Amino acid sequence: MGTVVNIIVGSHVWVEDPDEAWLAGEVLKITGKDAEIRTSNGKTITEKLSKIYPKDMEAPAGGVDDMTKLSYLHEPGVLENLKQRYELNEIYTYTGNILIAINPFQRLPHIYDAHMMQQYKGAPFGELSPHVFAVADVAYRAMINESKSNSILVSGESGAGKTETTKMLMRYLAFLGGRAATEGRTVEQQVLESNPVLEAFGNAKTVRNNNSRQDSAPLFTKWQERSRVCQISNPERNYHCFYLLCAAPQEEIEKYKLGSPKTFHYLNQSQCYELVGVSDAHDYLATRRAMDIVGISAKEQEAIFRVVAAILHIGNIDFAKGKEVDSSVPKDDQAKFHLKTTAELLMCDAVALEDALCKRVMITPEEVIKRSLDPASAVTSRDGLAKTIYSRLFDWLVDKINNSIGQDANSKCLIGVLDIYGFESFKANSFEQFCINFTNEKLQQHFNQHVFKMEQEEYTKEEINWSYIEFVDNQDVLDLIEKKPGGIIALLDEACMFPKSTHETFANKLYQTFKAHKRFIKPKLSRTDFTIAHYAGEVLYQSDQFLDKNKDYVVPEHQDLLSASKCSFVQGLFPPLPEESTKSSKFSSIGSRFKLQLQSLMETLNSTEPHYIRCVKPNNLLKPAIFENQNIMQQLRCGGVLEAIRISCAGYPTRKPFFEFINRFGLLCTEAIEGNYNEKAACQRILEKMGLQGFQIGKTKVFLRAGQMAELDARRAEVLNNAARIIQRRIQTHYAHRRFIAMRKAAILLQSTCRGRLACKVFESKKREAASVKIQKHARRYEARKSYKKLHLSALVVQTGLRAMAARKQFRFRKQTKAATIIQARWRCHRATSYYKRLKRGVIVSQTRWRGRLAKRELRKLKMAARETGALKEAKDKLEKHVEELTWRLQLEKRLRTDLEEAKSQEAAKFQNQLEEMQKKIEEANAALVKEKENVKKVIEEAPPVVKETQVFVEDTEKINSLTAEVESLKASIDSEKQKADDTEEKYNELQRLSEERRQKLEETEKKVQMLQESVHRLEEKLSNLESENQVLRQQAVSMAPNKFLSGRSRSIMQRAESHIPIDAMKAAGLDMHSPSINHRVDSTEVDDRPQKSLNEKQQENQELLIRCVAQHLGFAGNRPIAACIIYKCLLHWRSFEVERTSVFDRIIQTIGHAIETGDNNDVLAYWLSNASTLLLLLQRTLKASGAAGMAPQRRRSSSATLFGRMTQSFRGAPQGVNLSLINGSNSAGVDTLRQVEAKYPALLFKQQLTAYVEKIYGMIRDNLKKEISPLLGLCIQAPRTSRASLVKGARSVANTAAQQALIAHWQGIVKSLGNFLNTLKSNHVPPFLVRKVFTQIFSFINVQLFNSLLLRRECCSFSNGEYVKAGLAELEHWCYKATDEYAGSAWDELKHIRQAIGFLVIHQKPKKSLDEISHDLCPVLSIQQLYRISTMYWDDKYGTHSVAPDVISNMRVLMTEDSNNAVSSSFLLDDDSSIPFSVDDLSKSMEQIDIGDIEPPPLIHENSGFSFLLPRTD
């Protein structure tokens, strides 16, 4: 707290204000014990030093999440911290382990969704941002781990959000433990749906809230305001259930004979019938649905609402005076109607009901007397019956809900949620407020004890002395209320016992008894009121209705009436009473009963570990973004938060970790920083140098008494002010010296300028004198020269005229000579040109005629080529017919296939030769044409010139004209020849194009022929496979027969058949002479009488051997897993894919499952992932569903009708479409040459199981890597506190470097784990496609974990932490670069959220950035909610800069409000995707071809003859 010593001029302080509670200000002047302060609103006030408190100017802009971290723990500091966080929509704040929740009055779904619950699940308390889920999680973990009961106390005034907070608590607890389902309803559903039921029957609208709860401790004990059933005041409402029933569907209203709420006495006492924005009809249906979920049957629901309707009708039964004295009867027909309706609804006798209301039975030793009641007493009896029925109904509902949810009475531990009304102080306070405040006094005592206990635990943990700390208790108030025999409740019960007692006598008794009690105050102007000084303030109570509200008579007539009801539900509400209690009306004190219930509740709380949540209503307008300081301070005072602060201030209110203390106050003792001291010793030296007393130094923190923090800040401010003065003095000296130097330099410059100016004037005068002499000299010279030039010019004019005349004569003569020469030259040129043109025309004509002749020759050649192309077409047609004939012959006789292929190849070669010859001829013709053109050109060039210059005389104009006409005709003929030549060339090109098209058609025809042959071959193989399968079935039938030996006739047929099979035919049929089937048959011919081993037994042995073999680690052949290849080849050879029933698939799956059973050996998992994915790829490219082959039976029989055909087909050991030569390694084309196998159901099921195992193994590998890097991720996001601690050391740069290396080590650990996993996957040849998917999901997981941690921890949203995380991300980027795109893929892109968030943290000049720049340029991936969260949580621990501008924050809020209206989730957290990100088709497309031909079998089966087909063979 502030003291006179701590406050100096210039200090920033808090001063009390009647309107705003506290105002910030600056001390201007101190006069004695008073200080003059300029406040933040511009006013200047004077206040005593003892009433002002220091303000922490270094507090974070967004406040602190735990107010025990405040440097100054006082009322204005707490209020300002809450206000700052509320402005940022941070509605939760810790005070130690107490949670303060401020009602935002708006929906914030993003902080309550499943993402957020998952984040807080199992998180240590205080690690994440304050939240109601954190409190619930701590209670749940303590119950589970320590087997200790816990309680959560939610308190606050009406409208503070207690109900919603309780809902969130129960929802989270149900999320953690409510998994069991009862009759199709989960515990979570039942817990959550119990709230609407309890709200309907236990909540009402009060003056301060539309949904005020009149009960406490949901799901345990309920205390109700029973008087509300009969008495309400304007503008309150009765319990919601009455209005809901009046708004029920019409058939319900008619059944219960209800109407508008205005027609019922219990409802029309207030003018408030409806709530704004609330539909009673909708809530009625919602309540019925909630009852269904909770477990209340339809019959019970009908009975419940029948009882509720009966209570409404009871209230309308009015009474009038009867015929007898002091008697009463129903007032009118309307009252009789309601009486009758009530009896019908309660299923009791109407006359008995009237007697129970109007009469009383008095039992005396002599006789039984029946006494009538007057109308007033009858009304009291009526209201008592209504309250009793409603109270019993509500108790039944609570018990039903508890039993439905499954509360185990024998459970050893529990979590109790106490939703308690807060301290109440109205203008008129009655018995209800007295009970409520009594409860809060009890809970406040429990709260104070808990806070004191927490303080003790903190001090014990830090090993400091705390024995002298005093604890302020409120036991005196509790004794005033509940002490026996002299407490208020005892006196109230005593007054209720006497019939003649009134509230005046009760008040006088209180005045006499407690006149000396310091907590009891008698008002001066009232004779019946009294005041109690509670912990939260003084409350004035009106005792007018204390006696009436405390009385609760158990009327035997009411009990007997309802016990005899024909409705079993009503009977259950009123079980029979003991015999002695039925004799007369027995008084029961509500206050005493309430005290006993409260005592029981406190015993339950004392046996549990308490957790406190204080709900606060920020304003009375119930609107968002309004923070009323006075209102909140009162609630903090009533909620005990300020009392907890006072308890903390009694000890050590300021607790600073060593590094923060040194960082703030290290300048007070520089030698402690520069010396080689540890943190604790440095703090000790700082405090000792300051001369403080009473402080304590714990293991990790410095504990300061009240006022010591302000004193240290004052000393710090003094040191900083002295340092500032020294700096200012030095700066001012520097400025003065610099001004002197400048002035001296200016003076010297001015003097030199003046001297220079005088010298310039002297020089100017001398210069003018010399200039005048020179001017005179030049003037005389000018006059003399002028006269001379005039004479000289006259002579020149005469000479010029004479010379011009002579020149003009000479020019005219030369001009005439030149014109004559030009005329002669032009005539000679014209004559030579005319001759040349005639000669040129003749040469062109001769050339044109020669070219035309050559073109005609070429045209004849092209026509001949066209005729040859027609012959080629005829040959092609013949070839097609020949191919058809060959195809038909191939179907009939297989042995001619080789000859057909040879003939086809010869014909193709012949046609190819003919085509090549034709092309050669065309090329020769083209070459000849080119050569001819070159020869003509050469001849023209070598021809001697024929143009000679001879004199030609034009004799006649007609001759010239005839020659001109001849030349024109020659030109026309040349043009026509050129046109013909062009047409010929076009025809040639067209013919050449047609020839090319025909050649292509010929090639296509050849391909079609080849495809037809392949299809024929494929169909034949299908027939042969069907026959071989038939043969296998026959052999199995023979082996299963009683006689296991072939008959002699069969053996002879086999021998004859085999002896007549030529070797060539066997080769043509694709037989391998070394195959086991051939050897087996040869052996059988040699030894006829030796018994054959059962085929099934041999197959079982082979399968057993295969399983034992693949269970071992067989390794890899190149990049191919041996086990997968061996399994595939064996299954193909055994034809397992085509049988209807086999066990080999199940055994293979069991082997894989047993191998990966442990799930923690990544090397084993990677090995089986490689094998399973390879085997799945082979199956995907081989298997197809059966039923596709629908061949005609006749075709099937004709293919193997002969004995030779059946025997040939029986020798085939490979399935359809698969050559034995391929399996044995002779074909290197790979799997793509395999044709698909028609798989049966077991094979298809095996493929599905294998797919599931690939996905399972993939998920196990991914999850193992997540588990390995998760602990390191938590360390990577922590704030770099080690850098702060390095301030103690002398060499800061070295320490910072060490701190950086220590933090980067965590990232390097992640990189090392990723590298090890990559090496494991690569060594086991896992397909790169799967490796990319694994690391893409792992990087997505890293992105989610880092980003969510960043948004949930304010200490992580700092500048320095952004730099460290950025350095760590650089390590991951480097790893991706080294891993290459083949294995890393797009993993780096998955970190886009954390990369952009970190980029925002480390960018400078954030206040200058606009929202458009931030959301589109800097962080385009982040949502507005995420940007808002980062912007409000950011703090610069390195340079002290601010976050984004306030207008940007405001714009973000507006956008968030608009987004909250959309259906899209507004959660700012990311969700980790744990799905399988690929399908079998994706895997198949991504993997390359696999050649399994040259795989060497393992040693275990290498020498076994049954697996000889696995041996690679060469032709």
Side-chain angles (χ1 to χ4, degrees), residues 294 420 436 446 464 484 582 774 1085 1104 1116 1285 1369 1376 1464:
V294 167
I420 187 68
I436 289 172
H446 184 266
I464 66 173
K484 287 186 178 182
T582 60
K774 187 177 288 187
T1085 58
E1104 182 68 28
F1116 300 87
L1369 294 177
C1376 291
V1464 183

Side-chain angles (χ1 to χ4, degrees), residues 274-290:
E274 296 179 354
L275 299 178
V276 179
V278 177
S279 173
D280 290 329
H282 178 270
D283 288 350
Y284 172 78
L285 299 176
T287 304
R288 294 295 292 258
R289 285 194 299 271

Side-chain angles (χ1 to χ4, degrees), residues 6 173 212 295 308 337 346 504 580 769 824 1225 1309 1322 1344 1421:
N6 299 334
L173 292 174
S212 179
V308 173
F337 166 76
L346 296 177
E504 289 90 353
E580 61 273 8
E769 183 180 353
Q824 292 174 359
K1322 289 169 67 175
V1344 169
V1421 177

Side-chain angles (χ1 to χ4, degrees), residues 1242-1262:
L1244 297 177
L1245 180 61
F1246 173 62
K1247 180 183 172 184
Q1248 294 177 359
Q1249 292 174 332
L1250 196 61
T1251 303
Y1253 265 96
V1254 169
E1255 295 176 352
K1256 179 180 179 181
I1257 299 173
Y1258 171 88
M1260 294 171 69
I1261 290 178
R1262 178 196 62 203

Side-chain angles (χ1 to χ4, degrees), residues 218 268 742-743 784 968 1180:
N268 60 17
M743 291 177 64
E968 293 297 331
Q1180 177 72 8

